[in-house]
Amino acid sequence: AGQYEQAIEALEASGDAGLELMVFKALTYAQLGRKEDAAREVEAILEEKPDFTARGWIANDIMEPGGSSETLFLDGARKAGLPIDQPAPTN
């Protein structure tokens, strides 16, 4: 709904450290232009799940493929720096 400030307040207040929360925090920080915060979440996501991809997440979620939720999710993922189609290279 574009209410990113309220969303980040709720996400931060939840105290949960699960993967789903990290993903949504990364996307929300990115939409707010908070690049360092988004990057910190992306690093934690890839540490927990090195094979993470945005499209893989969508495929395992309840989002309607090709719908507006998917478009918004991918936009946030790109802005956050999350891998979209292929996992990030490992060093």
Side-chain angles (χ1 to χ4, degrees):
Q3 298 177 0
Y4 300 116
E5 288 292 343
Q6 290 106 335
I8 205 64
E9 287 175 19
L11 292 167
E12 289 175 343
S14 78
D16 186 5
L19 183 63
E20 183 173 25
L21 181 82
M22 289 187 285
V23 169
F24 286 109
K25 281 172 67 175
L27 273 56
T28 305
Y29 284 136
Q31 294 292 8
L32 288 168
R34 293 173 56 178
K35 293 180 182 185
E36 289 104 19
D37 292 323
R40 184 181 64 248
E41 296 298 330
V42 168
E43 183 178 337
I45 292 163
L46 296 178
E47 187 173 301
E48 184 171 323
K49 186 165 175 52
D51 63 342
F52 179 94
T53 66
R55 290 204 192 275
W57 184 271
I58 290 167
N60 291 312
D61 196 52
I62 60 169
M63 283 183 220
E64 180 182 330
S68 61
S69 294
E70 179 180 358
T71 301
L72 185 60
F73 185 91
L74 290 173
D75 179 58
R78 283 186 187 94
K79 288 177 181 176
L82 282 166
I84 302 301
D85 295 306
Q86 295 182 21
T90 55
N91 296 348

